[in-house]
Amino acid sequence: MRAVLVLAAALVVGGADGFYLPGIMKAEYKQGDSLEVIANKLTSQRNQVPYDYYTLPVCNAAGTRVKTKKVNLGQLLTGERAKPTDYEIKMNVAEQCKMMCTVELSKSRANVLSKRIRDGYLVRMNVDNMPLVRKGRTKAGNDAHLLGYPVGGTDESGEKYVNNYLKFKILVHRVLSGTEESFLVVGFQVEAYSVDFEMDGDKIKEGSCPIGNPKDKDLKKATIAEGKKITYVYDVDFERSGIEWATRWDPLLKPNPEVREIQWFSIINSLMVGIFLTALVGVILLRTVLKDFLRYNQMDQESVDEDLSGWKLIHTDVFRPPKLTAWLCILVGTGAQVFAMASVTQVFALAGFLSPAMRGSLLTAMLFAWVLASSVAGFMSARLYSSLEGTASRKVVTLGTAFVFPGITFTMFFMLNLILWLVGSQGAAPFGILVVLLLLWFGLAVPLVFLGAYMGYKQKPYEFPVRTNQIPRVVPPSPIPFLPYIYIFVAGIIPFCVVFMELIFILNSIWQDQLYYMFGFLFIVFLLLTVTSAEMSVVFTYLTLSNEDYRWWWQALLTSGSSGLYVFVYSIYYLATQQGFDGISFVSIIIYIVYMSIISGAFALMTGFIGFQASFLFVRMIYGAIRVEWPPAPVDSAGHGQTTGAVGARPAVVGNTVLVLTL
């Protein structure tokens, strides 16, 4: 156990190499200092399989396999590496038409290059942790930054060409320390072109570079063919910028005005939905339930006998343990774990600790938050099961909490990792990382689940305000066929609508390589989601009890949890309608569906947990206003005896029990 803790601590410290807060750990460069260009990966919207930069026929002076620099766990899991390139850039030293190398295309290299271009791959690089971007404009005329540059393209005749001529622009901020001058990198931009340079031996023919207008359509492009020689050339230009180092990511992270307008519209829409649901729940609690209490307290004995119906009639069955009690507790505990992970991660992200500037930090934080939240899962599932005491062993609930959802997730991840390894993708996690994940699971998460379960079973079980009869009551026929299932599917729409717009931005970030840093909006939407999930579950639980159906346990979990189904259905619609996915590969479809299944499942568990806890509290609250007085009698075989009702309350005899309704 100690070795596992040491390993986990080492991972956290190792992942902190790329961590900084604004104004800390900045790199200052003197005139002429070398700037290292790091290649991260090749990415594509049409093909979600990331590849190594050096799978392209590019310059590699060493001639051997380039090893990656140190990266954290989150970067490894997303297929990102940090491999040095052959670009030679010195601070404030401009370069023009600097030739790197000439590469002759073999048949296999030409095929690989053509395939990468056909799939629309982009080259992702960085200098001093600033990502390489292309500047563009939105339809509204606002500035936009696109990550990476395309490997190549296809001309009007259908012939593919490679972008072998790069024009780098590095934005620098001048810093004076006494009489010494230094510079900070605050931006890294590129323009990529394809040029078939005329060669004079091993050098570019004099007069063929620099090129007046690289965008000229008549300019001969570097097309791809077996035996063709591709010459890689680049320019470097430096530009002074007033952007401070602490805010150098702001131009990339700041949303466009039209995006911000959409965000505010989404927030207002979600807020209105939340207010409507709050009013609806208020009506149920303050008018319907309270009115029932008042009416029954004012009735005489005979009236109560005649009119007693609805949720009050099933008080002796409402806390009867449901079917598959162990599974219910497992899912509730796992949902609590997801909720805890999401809450903690968003708090740290909101505080600025998980900026995209800290590469891989978000995924790393989520992973460790999940592991530490395992104790929450064990505690919640154990305490609920100790209160219900189903037919299964307590060990089954604890083991299920520790292994069911994590086991399914890891199995799906392992199968995808195997597929990525077979296709030679950089996104395949190394064997050592798989071992680390298993150690985190079995060495930390599982023991924490058992620790939480031990504390949960030691905790006093939930107290139910009414007793449960040994013989279950017959549930009357539903006025509408399949009404409980209708409730489940209808209830999930509202929580989904609350997160709909934010879901689009998140999907764009995950699958279309867009930066996402609107954690303030996300946190507000998360709060609204919590409120609406709780209120929808309470509303439909009350409707179920009003129909004299005491089987509310699973419905309380599934009403809000069904929003995960809508998330998955929309993700499929998103896959089918986004233009960037045109011609997407079969492997990419598998990757997309599997990961969206995991995300939708986790979302369903989280919202289901929220809804269940709200309904559980609601049911205990309304039945806590009912005092049950059993008629004086000897203790029977069921263990029922005489209890004391509320003083001065009016009793209502129902069967062999006495209801005493109090406010």
Side-chain angles (χ1 to χ4, degrees), residues 413-425:
F413 171 77
F414 179 79
M415 296 303 296
L416 283 182
N417 198 70
L418 182 61
I419 294 174
L420 292 174
W421 177 76
L422 290 175
V423 299
S425 171

Side-chain angles (χ1 to χ4, degrees), residues 442-563:
F442 287 93
L444 282 178
V446 172
L448 286 174
V449 169
F450 277 84
L451 177 62
Y454 174 79
M455 297 174 63
Y457 287 127
K458 288 293 183 181
Q459 191 80 6
K460 183 180 179 181
Y462 295 108
E463 292 185 356
F464 299 139
V466 292
R467 295 183 180 181
T468 301
N469 276 342
Q470 281 190 328
I471 302 175
R473 175 184 177 85
V474 177
V475 178
S478 174
I480 302 175
F482 307 107
L483 186 61
Y485 301 101
I486 295 175
Y487 285 166
I488 290 172
F489 285 104
V490 170
I493 296 176
I494 303 300
F496 169 74
C497 291
V498 169
V499 302
F500 172 69
M501 290 305 303
E502 207 66 31
L503 178 63
I504 296 176
F505 291 112
I506 293 174
L507 291 178
N508 289 340
S509 173
I510 295 174
W511 302 110
Q512 298 194 30
D513 290 321
Q514 296 182 13
L515 292 175
Y516 182 88
Y517 194 59
M518 296 177 285
F519 292 116
F521 287 108
L522 181 62
F523 188 72
I524 296 174
V525 170
F526 180 74
L527 294 178
L528 292 173
L529 173 66
T530 302
V531 172
T532 52
S533 297
E535 292 176 340
M536 289 304 297
S537 183
V538 167
V539 168
F540 285 97
T541 296
Y542 175 77
L543 293 177
T544 299
L545 298 177
S546 297
N547 290 330
E548 300 180 13
D549 189 347
Y550 56 83
R551 299 168 300 183
W552 63 273
W553 298 90
W554 277 102
Q555 183 173 297
L557 179 75
L558 296 177
T559 45
S560 297
S562 63
S563 57

